[in-house]
């Protein structure tokens, strides 16, 4: 975990330095460019933790929510960058006692592109894409293959490696856990609870099924196959296919 945090922090430091190097070409000193570059962090984190969480199960409401969140992020970023430019101009100028002269100087010296919505969206998009691909790489590099889970099956304690669970099936009041060695274990824990305790490699594809995407051998528009086993994908969980297809 510490290694993952260190790599992530390193990524954001490098990303901000790269954004600052772009801003240097817009008549900023490096320290000023670095200050403005940091102003892109709130927008990038908002996309990471808000926009990416928007659900599209209801496509119309999902699109509306995504639009509102995007507009809110752009307004926030524009406001922050204007504040940053005001601070920089005040820092540059020794004579800023007259309000109207200050406003005129701000209009003349603040690069218009820095408050262009397309420019702001481009910078934030590049930052978030880089963060997303880094996260996917880290999941593969730092995956703990020795992580286990414990549960009771027919009143007998069972311990399995997460990597050895291929899928979980809900059958009325019972849940069945299927292992890679062909064993299956009956359990009374609801599948909704299993969805919460299994690792990030597991995804819900149906009200009755959770699959380990590392065990998936093929995918189409309505089914997922694990070897000779074929499981249905319900309409509600169609978007899960995008995650499973990364197997």
């Amino acid at each position: 975990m510490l290694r993952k945090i260190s790599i992530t922090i390193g990524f954001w430091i490098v990303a901000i330095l790269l954004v600052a190097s772009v801003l240097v070409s817009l008549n900023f000193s490096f320290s000023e460019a670095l200050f403005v570059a940091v102003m892109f962090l709130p927008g990038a984190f908002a996309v990471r933790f808000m926009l990416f969480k928007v659900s599209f199960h209801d496509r119309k409401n999902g699109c509306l929510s995504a639009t509102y969140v995007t507009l809110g992020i752009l307004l926030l970023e524009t406001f922050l960058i204007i504040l940053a430019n005001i601070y920089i101009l005040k820092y540059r100028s020794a004579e800023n006692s007259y309000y109207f002269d200050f406003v005129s100087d701000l209009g003349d010296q603040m690069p218009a592109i820095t408050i262009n919505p397309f420019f702001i969206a481009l910078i934030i998009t590049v930052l978030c894409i880089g963060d997303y691909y880094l996260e996917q790489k880290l999941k593969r590099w730092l995956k703990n293959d020795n992580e286990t889970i414990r549960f009771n099956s027919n009143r007998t304690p069972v311990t399995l490696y997460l990597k050895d669970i291929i899928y979980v099936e809900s059958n009325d009041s019972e849940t069945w856990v299927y292992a890679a060695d062909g064993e299956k274990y009956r359990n009374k824990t609801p599948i909704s609870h299993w969805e919460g305790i299994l690792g990030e490699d597991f995804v819900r594809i149906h009200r009755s099924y959770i699959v380990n995407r590392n065990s998936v051998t093929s995918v189409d528009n309505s089914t997922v196959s694990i070897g000779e086993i074929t499981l249905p994908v319900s309409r509600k969980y169609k978007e899960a296919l995008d995650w499973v297809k990364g197997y």
Side-chain angles (χ1 to χ4, degrees):
M1 180 60 71
L2 183 60
R3 185 180 178 187
K4 179 179 180 180
I5 292 173
S6 300
I7 294 174
T8 302
I9 292 174
F11 163 79
W12 283 105
I13 291 174
V14 171
I16 290 304
L17 290 174
L18 290 175
V19 173
S21 67
V22 172
L23 295 174
V24 166
S25 65
L26 301 177
N27 198 32
F28 290 108
S29 68
F30 183 76
S31 60
E32 293 170 346
L34 192 60
F35 178 58
V36 175
V38 171
M39 294 297 105
F40 285 96
L41 287 178
F45 291 154
V47 171
R48 180 69 175 81
F49 296 107
M50 293 177 62
L51 188 59
F52 284 177
K53 302 297 183 182
V54 173
S55 173
F56 287 91
H57 287 159
D58 183 330
R59 184 169 298 179
K60 181 179 179 180
N61 289 334
C63 290
L64 285 174
S65 297
T67 300
Y68 293 146
V69 172
T70 300
L71 290 175
I73 292 171
L74 289 175
L75 287 173
L76 170 67
E77 279 300 324
T78 301
F79 176 71
L80 290 175
I81 292 172
I82 289 175
L83 285 181
N85 276 281
I86 290 174
Y87 178 83
I88 290 169
L89 186 56
K90 281 185 175 181
Y91 182 79
R92 287 178 180 178
S93 176
E95 298 178 356
N96 55 5
S97 58
Y98 295 101
Y99 175 77
F100 291 104
D101 290 340
F102 173 67
V103 172
S104 176
D105 289 343
L106 177 64
D108 291 338
Q109 297 188 38
M110 182 175 69
I113 193 172
T114 59
I115 58 171
N116 184 306
F118 295 103
F119 177 77
I120 294 173
L122 176 63
I123 295 295
I124 293 176
T125 299
V126 171
L127 291 174
C128 290
I129 289 175
D131 177 62
Y132 172 80
Y133 281 106
L134 175 65
E135 183 178 8
Q136 300 308 307
K137 290 290 186 182
L138 287 177
K139 285 178 181 178
R140 293 177 174 84
W141 292 342
L142 306 178
K143 184 167 67 174
N144 182 4
D145 289 335
N146 295 319
E147 189 174 356
T148 60
I149 190 168
R150 297 180 181 180
F151 59 95
N152 290 326
S153 178
N154 296 326
R155 299 183 181 179
T156 301
V158 175
T159 301
L160 288 177
Y161 290 113
L162 283 178
K163 64 184 179 66
D164 290 336
I165 298 175
I166 58 174
Y167 73 97
V168 176
E169 177 184 11
S170 175
N171 188 0
D172 296 327
S173 62
E174 298 179 340
T175 302
W176 289 88
V177 179
Y178 292 82
D181 60 5
E183 293 290 335
K184 61 180 183 178
Y185 303 90
R186 189 176 68 167
N187 180 260
K188 294 292 185 179
T189 304
I191 194 168
S192 58
H193 184 66
W194 278 97
E195 186 178 12
I197 63 176
L198 290 171
E200 294 181 343
D201 283 332
F202 291 82
V203 61
R204 187 85 171 262
I205 61 168
H206 190 278
R207 66 183 180 86
S208 299
Y209 297 104
I210 299 173
V211 300
N212 182 345
R213 75 172 197 158
N214 294 315
S215 299
V216 172
T217 53
S218 66
V219 177
D220 62 29
N221 291 329
S222 60
T223 62
V224 166
S225 295
I226 302 174
E228 297 181 356
I229 302 169
T230 300
L231 303 176
V233 179
S234 66
R235 182 178 300 177
K236 180 180 179 180
Y237 296 100
K238 280 285 188 183
E239 66 180 33
L241 286 176
D242 292 335
W243 174 247
V244 176
K245 285 176 180 177
Y247 71 89

